[in-house]
């Protein structure tokens, strides 16, 4: 990253560096852990189709809009909204969008860190040979015993939060550019190898059929909302993460082209993860709807029984932890940037306080897998409730507001000059999507889930 004194933020050294950081934020547990298990819970193909349509029609235009807002203001999300609201002479209440994003980031990180802690623990389990020759039952009890222990979950949650805050305290520039450059392609290669392994099982076709055979009767009202919410979650949209990264993007770089690449990489990783996992689910008579433990109950069986599985298992979970780290950094960055830039905190102090707060909140998720697993609010455990409120409500609402702000509130000249799309029709298409299609679709999905449609 280079520093330009006339701007508040320092800048990514190149377009490639921004792509890496945005991909680092987008690709994470959402693709490899969450996408397969929610696909399993929501019946497969039809859910995948709705998710893909949402990425295309809602996710990509909003990602372009969110990056643009950040780059125009060059500030953290709270200040971005304040500044752009003034620029457009709009109602002051728009600035609450930045606040909501910061809160959503903390809430998501609180449970994200617990699950990333599971992945960290599985690095050790892979290393010590716990998966060796194991069958589905053995792997299942390994997982059940692990999640039943609040102390173990707490320990790994603390390790992951500590690592995240340590990296964030050193500034976005350090480490990020370098690590994502090497780790993302490695993760990709490993997923391809796992897909190769899935192909050798008798259930490969069945896995593919589950993922791609569209049967709309499997969709419930909530499935549609979950698919849409996941499009936001997986692309890191609706809460300011991508806005913060956009703020570091040099002015001469095309936002739209960059966005297509990031969204494509993100989607491919999720699909590969699904293609690797579902054949194993059927091969070992597991249930697609097993919930958040799905990858931890399936992939270790493969690692325990394939040649080279010991090393593959270690590598896979290490890479998953790194993918989670590059996402978790972006979840907390809006809050840290705001504390530093507006509240005069040093970066270290901002990290300590936000890290401690998030860690503490994460205990709710830790306990919801053991001592509080019967504690339900609105028929959901604490983890499920946090996930629902953030991914299904806060992110889509944030995304809706970003679309309306970019499409209706900002001056057309400003968005056009900021986006500098290569040809006029692509700008017009983006404008139609962000003004009409994206907000209307989000609104309709909400109406559908409450039963009006
Ligand atoms: N996109 C990340 C994932 O798929 O794991 C999660 C995430 C990061 C969500 C940043 C939201 C966010 F702002």
């Amino acid at each position: 990253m280079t520093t330009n004194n006339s701007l508040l933020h320092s800048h990514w050294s190149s377009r490639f560096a921004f792509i890496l950081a945005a991909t680092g934020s987008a690709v994470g547990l959402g693709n490899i852990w969450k996408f397969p298990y929610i696909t399993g819970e929501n019946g497969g193909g039809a859910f995948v189709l709705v998710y893909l349509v949402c990425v295309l029609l809602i996710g990509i235009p909003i990602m372009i809009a969110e990056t643009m807002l950040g780059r125009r203001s060059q500030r953290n999300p709270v200040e971005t909204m304040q500044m752009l609201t003034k620029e457009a002479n709009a109602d002051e209440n728009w600035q609450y969008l930045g606040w909501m994003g910061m809160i959503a980031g903390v809430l998501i990180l609180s449970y994200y860190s617990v699950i990333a802690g599971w992945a960290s623990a599985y690095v050790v389990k892979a290393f010590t040979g716990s998966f060796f020759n194991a069958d589905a039952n053995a792997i299942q009890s390994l997982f059940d015993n692990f999640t039943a222990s609040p102390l173990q979950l707490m320990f790994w949650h603390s390790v992951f939060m500590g690592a995240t805050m340590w990296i964030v305290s050193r500034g976005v520039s350090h480490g990020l550019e370098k690590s994502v450059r090497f780790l993302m392609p490695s993760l990709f290669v490993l997923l391809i190898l796992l897909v190769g392994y899935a192909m050798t099982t008798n259930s490969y076709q069945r896995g593919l059929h589950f993922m791609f055979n569209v049967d709309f009767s499997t969709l419930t009202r909530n499935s549609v909302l979950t698919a849409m919410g996941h499009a936001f979650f997986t692309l890191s949209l609706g809460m300011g993460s991508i806005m913060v990264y956009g703020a570091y993007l040099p002015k001469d770089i095309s936002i739209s082209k960059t966005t297509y690449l990031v969204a494509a990489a993100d989607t491919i990783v999720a699909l590969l993860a699904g293609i690797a996992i579902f054949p194993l689910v059927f091969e070992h008579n597991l249930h697609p709807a097993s919930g958040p433990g799905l990858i931890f109950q399936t992939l270790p069986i493969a690692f325990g029984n394939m040649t080279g599985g010991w090393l593959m298992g270690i590598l896979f979970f290490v890479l998953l932890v790194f993918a989670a780290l590059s996402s978790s950094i972006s979840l907390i960055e809006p809050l840290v940037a705001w504390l530093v830039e507006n509240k005069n905190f040093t970066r270290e102090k901002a990290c300590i306080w936000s890290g401690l707060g998030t860690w503490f909140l994460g205990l709710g998720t830790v306990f919801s897998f053991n001592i509080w697993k019967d504690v339900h609010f609105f028929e959901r455990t604490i983890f499920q409730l946090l996930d629902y409120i953030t991914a299904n409500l806060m992110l889509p609402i944030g995304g809706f507001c970003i679309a309306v702000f970019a499409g209706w509130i900002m001056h057309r000249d400003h968005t056009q000059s900021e986006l500098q799309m290569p040809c006029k029709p692509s700008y017009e298409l983006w404008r139609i999507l962000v003004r009409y299609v994206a907000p209307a679709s989000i609104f309709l999905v909400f109406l559908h889930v409450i039963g009006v449609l």
Side-chain angles (χ1 to χ4, degrees):
M1 239 160 50
T2 53
T3 306
N4 178 342
N5 288 334
S6 66
L7 300 165
L8 202 67
H9 278 306
S10 43
H11 274 180
W12 299 111
S13 53
S14 66
R15 167 163 180 255
F16 186 57
F18 172 78
I19 293 180
L20 287 174
T23 312
S25 167
V27 175
L29 294 175
N31 308 62
I32 291 166
W33 158 76
K34 192 173 178 191
F35 172 72
Y37 97 73
I38 56 175
T39 299
E41 283 181 340
N42 290 283
F47 177 83
V48 175
L49 181 68
V50 177
Y51 151 73
L52 291 175
V53 171
C54 288
V55 167
L56 212 62
L57 294 184
I58 307 177
I60 291 178
I62 292 184
M63 198 167 186
I64 294 177
E66 191 172 334
T67 313
M68 178 199 66
L69 297 189
R71 186 169 71 180
R72 182 150 187 91
S73 80
Q74 313 260 308
R75 283 168 172 76
N76 65 62
V78 172
E79 279 194 283
T80 295
M81 291 318 295
Q82 285 169 345
M83 179 187 147
L84 297 180
T85 302
K86 271 201 203 111
E87 185 182 71
N89 264 334
D91 189 298
E92 280 186 358
N93 285 325
W94 280 104
Q95 55 177 295
Y96 291 112
L97 188 54
W99 287 95
M100 188 175 77
M102 241 161 41
I103 296 169
V106 169
L107 293 178
I108 295 176
L109 184 56
S110 80
Y111 67 83
Y112 202 84
S113 162
V114 176
I115 311 294
W118 296 4
S120 319
Y122 268 61
V123 173
V124 177
K125 292 189 196 302
F127 183 77
T128 54
S130 305
F131 311 149
F132 191 60
N133 277 341
D135 59 10
N137 284 336
I139 294 295
Q140 175 78 42
S141 39
L142 190 75
F143 178 75
D144 291 345
N145 290 337
F146 172 62
T147 46
S149 158
L151 272 184
Q152 286 197 53
L153 298 200
M154 215 149 84
F155 173 76
W156 289 108
H157 165 51
S158 314
V159 169
F160 187 84
M161 267 315 293
T164 301
M165 298 328 295
W166 181 71
I167 297 174
V168 176
S169 71
R170 299 181 60 210
V172 202
S173 58
H174 299 283
L176 244 188
E177 280 185 27
K178 282 183 220 111
S179 60
V180 180
R181 186 183 302 248
F182 154 77
L183 295 166
M184 280 297 146
S186 318
L187 183 65
F188 193 74
V189 171
L190 221 69
L191 279 173
I192 303 257
L193 290 177
L194 282 172
V195 169
Y197 178 79
M199 280 173 153
T200 66
T201 65
N202 295 327
S203 307
Y204 182 62
Q205 292 299 338
R206 195 160 159 217
L208 281 190
H209 185 263
F210 179 77
M211 265 190 75
F212 296 113
N213 179 49
V214 177
D215 169 6
F216 284 108
S217 70
T218 57
L219 280 187
T220 64
R221 288 181 189 276
N222 248 315
S223 309
V224 180
L225 179 64
T226 306
M228 182 180 77
H230 190 63
F232 283 96
F233 185 88
T234 191
L235 294 174
S236 306
L237 296 181
M239 55 143 286
S241 279
I242 290 294
M243 208 185 279
V244 168
Y245 283 179
Y248 301 108
L249 187 65
K251 289 277 180 192
D252 54 346
I253 285 170
S254 158
I255 292 180
S256 55
K257 279 196 231 146
T258 316
T259 300
Y260 303 144
L261 277 174
V262 176
D266 186 77
T267 309
I268 291 170
V269 171
L271 293 177
L272 284 177
I275 298 172
I277 284 160
F278 284 110
L280 295 178
V281 170
F282 295 116
E283 185 74 6
H284 297 282
N285 291 323
L286 300 166
H287 289 294
S290 307
L294 191 66
I295 66 159
F296 297 94
Q297 289 155 0
T298 48
L299 293 180
I301 310 176
F303 298 134
N305 294 284
M306 70 208 267
T307 357
W310 178 75
L311 189 62
M312 286 265 291
I314 301 174
L315 277 178
F316 176 82
F317 284 112
V318 167
L319 291 173
L320 185 58
V321 172
F322 275 98
L325 269 175
S326 57
S327 303
S328 62
I329 292 166
S330 72
L331 282 162
I332 200 77
E333 181 63 27
L335 174 60
V336 170
W338 177 74
L339 287 174
V340 172
E341 288 165 16
N342 297 64
K343 294 285 154 202
N344 284 332
F345 277 51
T346 60
R347 215 170 158 87
E348 284 73 25
K349 194 171 152 204
C351 286
I352 290 172
W353 285 110
S354 49
L356 278 177
T358 314
W359 177 85
F360 185 73
L361 273 177
L363 296 182
T365 295
V366 164
F367 298 143
S368 71
F369 289 98
N370 34 68
I371 52 179
W372 289 349
K373 72 168 181 271
D374 297 320
V375 177
H376 287 86
F377 301 95
F378 306 103
E379 294 164 22
R380 291 182 167 84
T381 63
I382 296 178
F383 157 70
Q384 289 167 334
L385 190 71
L386 278 172
D387 179 39
Y388 191 89
I389 293 178
T390 52
N392 292 7
L393 303 179
M394 292 177 91
L395 299 187
I397 292 173
F400 178 91
C401 296
I402 288 170
V404 171
F405 191 84
W408 295 92
I409 308 288
M410 279 180 82
H411 290 296
R412 188 193 159 96
D413 298 347
H414 291 168
T415 55
Q416 198 162 11
S417 75
E418 201 60 56
L419 288 178
Q420 286 172 1
M421 286 185 161
C423 55
K424 200 160 179 293
S426 48
Y427 175 76
E428 294 304 335
L429 176 64
W430 170 78
R431 208 165 145 82
I432 292 172
L433 289 172
V434 92
R435 274 166 80 93
Y436 304 102
V437 179
S441 314
I442 298 170
F443 192 63
L444 291 179
V445 172
F446 279 129
L447 287 185
H448 182 66
V449 82
I450 59 173
V452 175
L453 277 180

